[in-house]
Amino acid sequence: MPISSINPATGEVLQTFESLTEHQVEEKLNRAAKTFREYRRTAFSERTAMMQRAATILESEKKSFARMMTLEMGKPINAAAQEAEKCAWVCRHYADNAERHLADEAVETNATKSYIRFQPLGVVLAVMPWNFPFWQVFRFAAPALMAGNVGLLKHASNVPQSALAIEEIFRRAGFPEGSFQTLLIGSETVQKVLEDPRVAAATLTGSEPAGRSVASICGKQIKKTVLELGGSDPFIVMPSADFETALSTAVKARTINNGQSCIAAKRFIVHQQIYDEFEKRFVEAMKKLRVGDPMDERTDIGPLATEQILKDLEEQVKTSVAAGAKILTGAERFEFKDELARGNFYKPTVLADIPKDAPAYRDELFGPVASLFRVSGIDEAIELANATTFGLGSAAWTNEAEESARFIDEIEAGCVFINGMVASDPRLPFGGVKHSGYGRELSYFGIREFVNIKTVWTN
Ligand code: NAP
């Protein structure tokens, strides 16, 4: 089946690729397994030099990588350039720290000498989403390769150019042939790759159904998995908060990446004392956002990445409105008359008075749609924040120490940001609880996911 790169702003088919044949997949698996036997023995100093070179390529060519990402999946061009820079950061972070993160750890026991050694697992398959087409891959690949594993990438079918470009970056950086390979395959071929004995483990970033499928296949094969799935992050605003900063951050946190981020704030939970003012100003700010060509640096919101994503979002909003949610702004496509007429544009949307059975109450809405909730106090805020099956990120705005302490303790999520916007950072672990997945990426937790934690006991 062909895999196409389509500009979501115009509908233009940019490039089409044939997906790999069974024979080609077999060749790549063989190469990966063979490369691992050699690559695992490379010194940290060698891996570090290669990873630093990958970072340099990302930095020096960020403009062309950004252009490719924007054309292929529609993110605003400035954000795409920042994404390439952030990938360079994660490469340098692990180049500098991997050896320390994976150094032997001595433990005193009754042995003459006992310690823990961290060794690579082997070939790791990464199934990745399109929304941060470079970042999602690099945050897996940098620690995995630094740990001595080799990577196979099954990227989302709408970003084949990004997938191939990443493989090329590692090749140019000097990583041996076979240490990082892109598999241009559809999701229906993933099972076969996961079941292959040459594949040791898998990581998936994507939707809950895809995560369930990969985890159950790997469960049967007894293979380690890491899952980074969806989120419906709460953004709580209390009366003591710095209102102006909370408000402007709220708009940014909902609309980043055209609203298609797992850690975008999706449910705004606002104390009744400040709710009316927040609602009014938030709606005004959302209306002012500039929707348009993502290649134009003045654009705030570009198109959704595919037509299907646009249709799914429309459906979720329609169902929520039919259930009783009130539209404060938006809730329809953005129609252009020019070359953007076939683009997947959706108006920045705000919903309020959302009933419990509406998708906007607890599901993940992957686009520029905000759900507003009025609460009477902190107990109700925390209860509502946790009233979702997801548990990825969360943000709470308050200047009361006791309130902060309760948010930190009681919100069920992989992270809590107090008076700030949820963001990933190579130095801090990233991941979720509940149906947002398990395992962690980034920091030393991330590099220790795909290693054998080997106990060594000698007398
Ligand atoms: P998706 O449909 O699950 O796709 C993600 C990847 O999984 C793609 O490569 C896709 O391939 C593949 N895939 C889909 N179904 C599969 C299956 N049954 N078996 C094996 N592979 C399968 O997700 P998406 O819509 O592209 O991405 C958006 C979702 O990702 C959102 O829920 C978002 O919150 C989540 N996300 C999470 C994080 C995080 O760190 N927690 C970060 C970013 C995004 P095809 O493209 O070929 O179908």
Side-chain angles (χ1 to χ4, degrees), residues 42 57 73 130 239 267 304 327 360 378 394 403 422 457:
T42 51
I57 295 169
M73 53 66 68
W130 45 266
R267 297 175 299 130
L304 298 177
I327 302 168
I378 189 163
S394 64
E403 286 179 357
V422 178
W457 192 99

Side-chain angles (χ1 to χ4, degrees), residues 283-395:
V283 171
E284 280 167 11
M286 289 287 276
K287 278 184 178 166
K288 274 196 200 135
L289 293 173
R290 208 181 159 114
V291 179
D293 183 359
M295 294 299 278
D296 182 339
E297 292 191 355
R298 293 163 304 173
T299 294
D300 297 307
I301 299 189
L304 298 177
T306 66
E307 201 184 344
Q308 190 56 49
I309 293 159
L310 174 63
K311 285 183 181 160
D312 291 347
L313 184 69
E314 258 183 329
E315 195 53 43
Q316 284 175 309
V317 172
K318 269 189 198 149
T319 312
S320 299
V321 173
K326 189 166 96 191
I327 302 168
L328 300 180
T329 184
E332 58 185 354
R333 291 182 184 213
F334 204 108
E335 308 284 356
F336 287 94
K337 299 258 178 292
D338 52 13
E339 69 275 10
L340 303 182
R342 286 171 54 222
N344 311 319
F345 294 95
Y346 198 74
K347 286 188 180 167
T349 297
V350 185
L351 303 176
D353 300 340
I354 302 162
K356 278 191 177 163
D357 56 348
Y361 189 89
R362 56 165 68 84
D363 292 348
E364 178 177 44
L365 271 59
F366 225 52
V369 179
S371 301
L372 298 193
F373 299 90
R374 181 198 299 264
V375 288
S376 58
I378 189 163
D379 290 333
E380 198 185 343
I382 291 170
E383 197 183 319
L384 190 51
N386 292 337
T388 168
T389 53
F390 292 115
L392 193 56
S394 64

